[in-house]
Amino acid sequence: MSTPTSGGASVLVASNRGPISFSVTDAGQLVADRGGGGLVSGLSAVTRHGETLWVCAALSDADRRATANAPRGRLDHHGYDTGGIDVRMLNIDTQTFKRAYNGIANSTLWFIHHHLYDTPNKPHFDGRWRRDWEGYRSYDEAFARALAEEAAPEATAIVQDYHLTLTPRMLREKRPDLRIGHFSHTPWAAVDYFRMLPDDIAREVLLGVLGADHVGFLSPRWAGSFLECCAEFVGGRVDPGAMTVEVDGHVTNVGVHPLGIDADFLRERAAQPDVEARRSALLELAGDRKILLRIDRTELSKNIVRGLAAYRELLRTRPEWKGRVTHFSFSYPSRHDLPEYREYTAAVQRIAAEIEDEFGTDDWTPLHLSVNDDFARSLAAYRIADVLVVNPIRDGMNLVAKEGPVLSERGLALVLSREAGAATDLADDALLVNPFDVSATAEAMHTALSMSSEERTARARGLAASSTALPPSQWFADQIDALRA
Ligand code: G6P
């Protein structure tokens, strides 16, 4: 058990990826950049200097260099621009980090929660995988140690995501005085899928999370699956009505906290000159054609290939759209250390080339695919899109579906997968689709493109209202309240 730190932080958050990342310039200088992804955008909005300490991992060699220069990894104490956030970045040795991040978090737990395995071939839980699991344990332990060191007596610590499922329990053992939360930004696997994990591991994951006093999810579906997994794998008492799990006298409350958009930040950022310039450039490319947009990390769960296949089917079955629509697909890079991701990126590029070959003419480019990251361009595209396609196989929430309507200038029809957490919040005004049904997705694209601008405008208004109903500040405050109740 650790000793409480009297001058420590009273609120702590822990996540693998932190609010900043570093890169090295040609001149060898370290520069800090804003981190990406749904989790980081949500938390950055609420973790202000002096209120919250953010514990995260060094993800790259440049991050490691930055932490090596900062005593105890406290970047905020060392003059780095952390965007006004107190940050401790953990320098976990590279091999342990890779085993935990690539081997377990991204190749196992991400695949389990998003139902992504090609089951005749994978998963394959063998001796090598067990070594990765050991790495994951040490990595989660490093977070628990750092939180235990940094927390003031009776502080509140909220641990984020599948990278850190074992940390809550480890932290409770070191600091029983803390109030501990865990929040999943992903779906939670359905019980029949979760059962693929070796039994001892399934139990360890659940008991790890249950070390928290409060466990949060983005949608009632994911919370329900978690409770079902607990009922199957953990002894103790699971009460699905009260949403509690009791193990060895410790009660964990399970809550649903859907994350919405920080509309003020988004609108202000989208009005900047770099966004204006990109807006003009995109309008020039589209001319007077309808704009169909998708924006994703190039991530297997995002279902980009089926989305593009649906666009191809639309052009085949509804030839009236040929020459009258421009599809922008911004698919920015993700997790390129994993072969599955590199292959998926190639598959996206392949189908894009096929679409161009089949339909492209001298004066019409049916699809503009970009595989680089450009936040300003994404904001510009939201402003002018007529239709936004968000068709993940499974997604914790999906903030793209919520950002688009908030910035829309000419009304936006949203084609949305019913398997995204956002579908719960946006069902009234979106066109919901089964993400595996390519033909139905093509038909939904047709319906969306055919909508009058009045209808698109009315729908965008409804979608924007639902998307901003629970801004990040509220989302975070609700979790703190739930923990302190
Ligand atoms: C998305 C998910 C988060 C997750 C993050 C990790 O943003 O919504 O749940 O933590 O991806 O991505 P990374 O790039 O850090 O592997």
Side-chain angles (χ1 to χ4, degrees), residues 34-267:
R34 169 180 179 268
L39 176 155
V40 168
S41 346
L43 281 174
S44 298
V46 294
T47 45
R48 300 269 172 261
H49 173 64
E51 288 166 13
T52 309
L53 174 70
W54 192 329
V55 179
C56 60
L59 306 181
S60 64
D61 290 343
D63 284 358
R64 289 174 194 285
R65 248 181 73 186
T67 54
N69 292 338
R72 273 193 18 257
R74 281 300 294 257
L75 302 176
D76 51 314
H77 290 177
H78 203 69
Y80 291 117
D81 175 11
T82 58
I85 303 171
D86 296 345
V87 184
R88 174 165 172 183
M89 193 179 260
L90 305 180
N91 197 342
I92 297 167
D93 81 83
T94 315
Q95 195 181 45
T96 304
F97 175 77
K98 284 194 174 152
R99 286 181 171 163
Y101 179 67
N102 289 330
I104 302 300
N106 288 343
S107 299
T108 305
L109 296 177
W110 180 272
F111 274 61
I112 287 280
H113 289 317
H114 291 86
H115 298 185
L116 291 178
Y117 280 122
D118 166 25
T119 50
N121 301 302
K122 282 187 173 178
H124 201 93
F125 298 116
D126 55 6
R128 180 161 174 221
W129 183 87
R130 288 274 165 179
R131 277 200 302 281
D132 286 347
W133 186 257
E134 281 306 319
Y136 182 76
R137 276 195 189 126
S138 325
Y139 161 94
D140 278 22
E141 176 71 34
F143 272 83
R145 251 192 333 266
L147 291 166
E149 277 165 25
E150 298 286 352
E154 295 178 20
T156 303
I158 308 188
V159 176
Q160 313 289 319
D161 250 347
Y162 55 96
H163 311 91
L164 299 175
T165 51
L166 309 181
T167 304
R169 184 164 191 216
M170 293 167 165
L171 180 57
R172 167 167 305 287
E173 278 161 14
K174 295 179 203 307
R175 290 288 304 273
D177 61 305
L178 301 184
R179 292 158 210 217
I180 303 172
H182 186 276
F183 195 86
S184 286
H185 296 258
T186 60
W188 193 271
V191 67
D192 281 348
Y193 213 88
F194 195 76
R195 308 168 68 106
M196 258 190 273
L197 288 173
D199 290 356
D200 59 320
I201 301 293
R203 232 177 107 71
E204 190 176 342
V205 166
L206 293 166
L207 288 173
V209 174
L210 291 170
D213 303 295
H214 182 80
V215 173
F217 294 93
L218 289 165
S219 137
R221 271 181 80 185
W222 318 142
S225 294
F226 177 76
L227 289 164
E228 282 174 34
C229 289
C230 289
E232 170 129 353
F233 287 98
V234 179
R237 271 221 311 266
V238 178
D239 183 339
M243 300 203 20
T244 54
V245 183
E246 185 180 338
V247 184
D248 296 334
H250 175 249
V251 178
T252 302
N253 292 300
V254 177
V256 178
H257 304 275
L259 175 62
I261 295 296
D262 181 351
D264 294 342
F265 162 77
L266 209 61
R267 290 199 181 106

Side-chain angles (χ1 to χ4, degrees), residues 285-304:
L285 282 175
D288 57 5
R289 299 184 181 93
K290 286 267 166 67
I291 295 176
L292 184 72
L293 172 68
R294 65 175 306 133
I295 301 178
D296 320 84
R297 304 200 305 161
T298 312
E299 158 49 62
L300 284 73
S301 64
K302 300 295 181 187
N303 208 22
I304 304 169

